Amino acid sequence: MQSGGPNWELPLGRRDAIQASLSASNNNLPPPNSTIQNLIKLFRRQGLNVVDLVSLSGAHTIGMARCSAFKQRLYNQDGNDEPDSTLEITYSNGLKTVCPKTGGDNKISPLDFASPSTFDNTYFKLIMFGKGLLTSDQVLLAGNVEETMLLVKAYAEDYALFFDQFARSMVKMGNINPLTGYQGEVRKNCRMPN
């Protein structure tokens, strides 16, 4: 990876769908306001366990989120016009400058503001201080599931442990529901058309 992070070997010959499906993606990807119980359920539905859930969530060490994905945490988390109590106040106030109460839904913020273009374990360190951007990030620690809490702490303390498990979980995720027979295609050119 140009941004750092682990390497892993991908099995060759996986058949890919010929067309993407927005509805299938939306049905299988957890929404950003997911509870810990919903995250666990959605990952289990794909054959992934809690270790996979936490390690793969670490991909949020890179990337951005639109304001619409986290606005409720800033202004109305529980339907009481109050911010999310698990969100660190200084971080919350900074996010409010990017994401106003009305409008601005397409403004973006980094998922990991401390090292947004480096694949590292800072994402987990931020969660430890109440600075996970999405609800689905912070509930890994604040959701009161001991296994996810312990994994967040372990990955925050040991980047090598996180890198190793992330690589394993990526391979496992890559083997979800493979197409067989004449379904899909094995791509010889993986570049997107212009």
Side-chain angles (χ1 to χ4, degrees), residues 83-155:
D84 185 342
S85 62
T86 67
L87 190 57
E88 194 274 329
I89 191 71
T90 305
Y91 181 52
S92 176
N93 289 337
L95 289 171
K96 287 178 180 179
T97 66
V98 174
C99 185
K101 192 169 189 172
T102 58
D105 285 354
N106 287 323
K107 291 185 174 185
I108 57 173
S109 184
L111 292 160
D112 167 356
F113 71 88
S115 58
S117 59
T118 304
F119 194 101
D120 56 21
N121 65 336
T122 303
Y123 164 82
F124 296 106
K125 294 175 183 180
L126 292 172
I127 289 173
M128 296 290 295
F129 292 103
K131 297 178 180 180
L133 182 63
L134 306 176
T135 298
S136 59
D137 296 324
Q138 197 62 48
V139 296
L140 297 175
L141 182 68
N144 293 319
V145 172
E146 185 177 14
E147 189 175 4
T148 65
M149 294 165 68
L150 291 172
L151 286 165
V152 168
K153 291 174 185 176
Y155 295 155

Side-chain angles (χ1 to χ4, degrees), residues 14 20 47 86 91 111 134 141 150 159 172 176 180 183 192:
R14 180 180 168 101
T86 67
Y91 181 52
L111 292 160
L134 306 176
L141 182 68
L150 291 172
Y159 79 91
K172 188 174 176 182
I176 294 172
T180 58
Q183 297 175 317
M192 298 294 292

